[in-house]
Amino acid sequence: MIKLLPVLLSAVLAAAPAAADTIGVAGNMQSGTCRDTFTGEADTTQSVSLEYRHESAGFSAMGYGRVAPSGGNCADSSFSFDAEIERRFDVAGGWYGLARLGAERTTTTGSYRHVDGGLVLFAAVADGSPAYTSLLGAGRCFGPGCADADAGGAWRVELGANLAPNDYVGESGAQSGHFRVSHSRPLLGGELEAELDFEAPWADFGTAVTGQRIGWSREISGRFDLTLGLRRKSGLDHYQSPFDPTIQLDGRPYHLGTTDPTVTTFEVGVRAEL
């Protein structure tokens, strides 16, 4: 695997045709990042995100960061991120090969509890399990929108092997299989995009982490677009837990109870072409 990484990095960073870049800012409503200190109940919180995208023939890059309240009574802030670069190569029969490098972390909240007789105290800690991608795979696009986005819908299917080791429940340093399907089409004067990601270690495909994203954008003036979107990351408890089983606060032991397996984010924002 180590010998393959320099080759993969060189392939991904190879020169690609120039294209317009975009940057978007959004306000979000989000679940799964904050729990009340006194009751342990999850709250829906407000957050803000920033996203950069580059798309051109054979090459794409994406960086996404989100800051949200977290922890006890939403008094603290947490940071989640997702970044990847991808290089694609034409192969016979409409298929293409791909090389992808990426890293991400989705922050969740661990709910702790201290019990001493009739005294019950709660505490909340925000953290996230990092995941890394060093993927070699293949994909294919179907539909008239593959050649011209205005011509109609397009479906894209991709699958590959992740050479980067990640830590899953019961299996540390595991390589994994990845599957991604996406769809785009013109809709209501704008563009609809939907994407589903699936990853799981080779030894246990039941230990899956999935990501779903659906978004719609429409030009509002010149280089600016209105964007609406929904992101959902599930199966986060299948990663090895970043939370300690027991913590000490004010001299008292608190024991880990629940963690949030799913984070759902609804976004409304503006995207600008650079």
Side-chain angles (χ1 to χ4, degrees):
M1 183 191 76
I2 300 299
K3 294 181 179 179
L4 284 174
L5 290 180
V7 177
L8 180 60
L9 181 61
S10 299
V12 171
L13 296 178
D21 295 18
T22 61
I23 188 166
V25 179
N28 315 316
M29 295 289 290
Q30 183 175 320
S31 68
T33 58
C34 182
R35 286 186 175 271
D36 190 280
T37 300
F38 300 103
T39 66
E41 294 180 357
D43 295 324
T44 299
T45 63
Q46 293 76 45
S47 60
V48 63
S49 63
L50 181 69
E51 181 179 45
Y52 164 80
R53 284 186 177 272
H54 169 95
E55 292 289 345
S56 59
F59 182 78
S60 62
M62 182 274 293
Y64 175 82
R66 183 178 65 245
V67 176
S70 66
N73 291 326
C74 305
D76 301 321
S77 292
S78 63
F79 179 67
S80 299
F81 67 86
D82 186 7
E84 67 177 37
I85 55 176
E86 179 179 286
R87 192 76 166 92
R88 297 175 292 276
F89 311 88
D90 288 334
V91 182
W95 288 86
Y96 58 87
L98 64 92
R100 182 187 303 149
L101 294 176
E104 67 172 313
R105 188 186 81 153
T106 300
T107 300
T108 60
T109 301
S111 182
Y112 288 82
R113 189 172 66 165
H114 169 79
V115 179
D116 184 7
L119 176 65
V120 180
L121 300 174
F122 291 92
V125 176
D127 207 341
S129 300
Y132 304 98
T133 300
S134 181
L135 183 138
L136 289 173
R140 187 172 183 182
C141 188
F142 303 88
C146 296
D148 182 0
D150 296 327
W155 289 91
R156 191 180 298 272
V157 178
E158 299 175 345
L159 57 124
N162 184 14
L163 306 179
N166 289 303
D167 295 330
Y168 297 87
V169 173
E171 188 171 3
S172 298
Q175 296 176 336
S176 57
H178 283 231
F179 173 76
R180 174 180 290 179
V181 58
S182 58
H183 177 63
S184 61
R185 66 180 306 108
L187 179 69
L188 300 176
E191 182 180 19
L192 176 71
E193 295 179 297
E195 184 176 277
L196 169 66
D197 276 293
F198 173 95
E199 66 162 282
W202 294 112
D204 183 8
F205 275 96
T207 309
V209 181
T210 63
Q212 304 93 41
R213 182 179 67 87
I214 184 168
W216 177 80
S217 62
R218 181 173 179 174
E219 182 177 316
I220 52 177
S221 70
R223 294 159 48 191
F224 294 94
D225 296 341
L226 170 68
T227 61
L228 304 173
L230 181 71
R231 299 172 187 263
R232 186 174 186 268
K233 194 78 173 181
S234 56
L236 293 168
D237 54 342
H238 291 161
Y239 285 130
Q240 198 170 97
S241 176
F243 301 104
D244 293 327
T246 303
I247 60 175
Q248 291 284 332
L249 293 175
D250 300 324
R252 299 185 179 97
Y254 285 74
H255 301 283
L256 181 63
T258 60
T259 62
D260 294 305
T262 301
V263 173
T264 302
T265 308
F266 174 70
E267 303 176 328
V268 179
V270 175
R271 184 175 61 205
E273 182 177 335
L274 302 179

